[in-house]
Amino acid sequence: MSKSLLFGVLDWGLGHAARSVPLLRFFQNNGWIIHIAATGAPRKLLLDALPEAYFHTPPAYQIHYGGKDKFLILNILKQVPRLLKTVNNEQHWVEERVRELGIDLVISDNRYGFYSTRMTSWMLTHQLAPTSGLGNFPDKIVQKIHFAFLNKFDRCLVPDLAEKPGIAGKLSHPTYLPPATSYLGLLSRLTPPTPEAPTLEVLVLLSGPEPSRTIFEEQLLPALRSFNGRFLLVRGLPESTNSTENNVINYADIPTLQTLSTKAALVICRSGYTSVMDLIRLQKKALLVPTPGQTEQEYLAVHLEAEGYFPYLRQADFSLEKALAKAAAFKYRPVTADFEQYKTVLTSLLNS
């Protein structure tokens, strides 16, 4: 008899949904019935990638960003009471689905209330030491609260290399770990490319929550349109209709993204962790632009440049000319990583 998986994905940009694709396909290929709880753009991405799965609508987090980075922390803090209410509602929602659907395993990608007290529940996250941007003492308080939520899950799955510093640095390798932590290795929905001569000088991949995504697009487009070279901008809007603008598309599904990335000499994108794993999988040269005020992305950008993986520019300092010059001068350090390790880890966990 087939077992059933209930998988919940955070509705905060496309990254959580994108990195979940290989895990969901693993379960599907091993005969599991897949139930996916997702809303908005992440739901559309997963529907395209796994049309055979069953889809459900959980309570939506609907985290809103302010337009300026200096107000981001205050903006998020103001939303905490509503977010805590959503976490409580989704926990009850999960319990109802577990009973109704006969679920055998629950996996949450960064949804704190997406667990069952009746059934084995795992959390997928690379953020074991979240950064607040306010200093060490506030970071310790945030981590303590974070661990209190993580401890409600039976296991913590970390999409990173087990050996320090991994790719995510201190985010995924804190001083101490939650109980029952397993490192999965890196995850990517993409496959290693067949080498070919680039036909695009620049591929820009936009993603992330609004209004930050649109602000950066409006900053980029004039420079790209005056650029004397071949470029393509992918807006990261899976729910929108196709764009009629030259050199601009609203969304790239997995095969299209694979093809475009392979053809690009340079990728410009956010420093979201899923984007970084995809770039490593494709062995691409890239320049990262962290979302202003998103402390995880800001930390990752600095860390990855220091490690020699990818250069970065702050959005406030960004210009296409600067980006091309910095990428051309940067000495990229190749990354060797096993993107199939998660299969061995999951097989072992399921057998035990």
Side-chain angles (χ1 to χ4, degrees), residues 199-204 219-233 246-247 264-268 318-325:
T199 57
L200 279 174
E201 273 82 7
V202 177
L203 173 65
V204 179
Q219 181 178 345
L220 270 168
L221 268 178
L224 287 170
R225 285 175 175 147
S226 61
F227 172 56
N228 187 25
R230 291 159 297 180
F231 77 89
L232 183 70
L233 184 146
N246 291 332
N247 305 106
L266 177 70
V267 176
I268 296 175
F318 183 89
S319 74
L320 189 57
E321 184 180 4
K322 284 182 183 178
L324 295 175

Side-chain angles (χ1 to χ4, degrees), residues 121-233:
S121 302
W122 297 345
M123 168 66 90
L124 174 67
T125 182
H126 67 280
Q127 296 188 61
L128 301 182
T131 57
S132 67
L134 301 175
N136 289 332
F137 182 68
D139 281 355
K140 289 179 180 179
I141 296 175
V142 170
Q143 187 179 29
K144 195 167 186 178
I145 296 170
H146 184 53
F147 272 40
F149 282 109
L150 293 184
N151 288 338
K152 296 180 183 293
F153 293 82
D154 299 291
R155 182 162 295 273
C156 187
L157 305 176
V158 184
D160 199 356
L161 310 177
E163 185 177 349
K164 292 183 179 181
I167 300 299
K170 70 178 184 181
L171 294 180
S172 60
H173 291 83
T175 304
Y176 58 97
L177 296 172
T181 296
S182 297
Y183 286 89
L184 295 175
L186 302 188
L187 298 176
S188 177
R189 57 195 159 145
L190 306 178
T191 56
T194 302
E196 60 178 86
T199 57
L200 279 174
E201 273 82 7
V202 177
L203 173 65
V204 179
L205 302 175
L206 290 181
S207 61
E210 298 289 5
S212 297
R213 194 211 62 78
T214 296
I215 292 170
F216 190 35
E217 178 185 329
E218 291 172 350
Q219 181 178 345
L220 270 168
L221 268 178
L224 287 170
R225 285 175 175 147
S226 61
F227 172 56
N228 187 25
R230 291 159 297 180
F231 77 89
L232 183 70
L233 184 146

Side-chain angles (χ1 to χ4, degrees), residues 234-304:
V234 182
R235 285 189 165 125
L237 299 173
E239 295 179 291
S240 300
T241 56
N242 291 332
S243 171
T244 57
E245 300 176 60
N246 291 332
N247 305 106
V248 176
I249 61 175
N250 283 338
Y251 176 64
D253 58 17
I254 293 175
T256 305
L257 181 61
Q258 177 87 34
T259 300
L260 293 175
S261 299
T262 301
K263 291 180 177 180
L266 177 70
V267 176
I268 296 175
C269 65
R270 294 300 195 188
S271 52
Y273 188 55
T274 297
S275 296
V276 169
M277 291 193 289
D278 284 345
L279 292 169
I280 292 172
R281 180 64 156 169
L282 294 172
Q283 302 169 28
K284 297 304 300 182
K285 291 183 177 180
L287 181 126
L288 307 177
V289 184
T291 300
Q294 193 166 330
T295 52
E296 175 220 348
Q297 288 196 15
E298 291 173 337
Y299 166 78
L300 271 176
V302 174
H303 167 71
L304 293 167

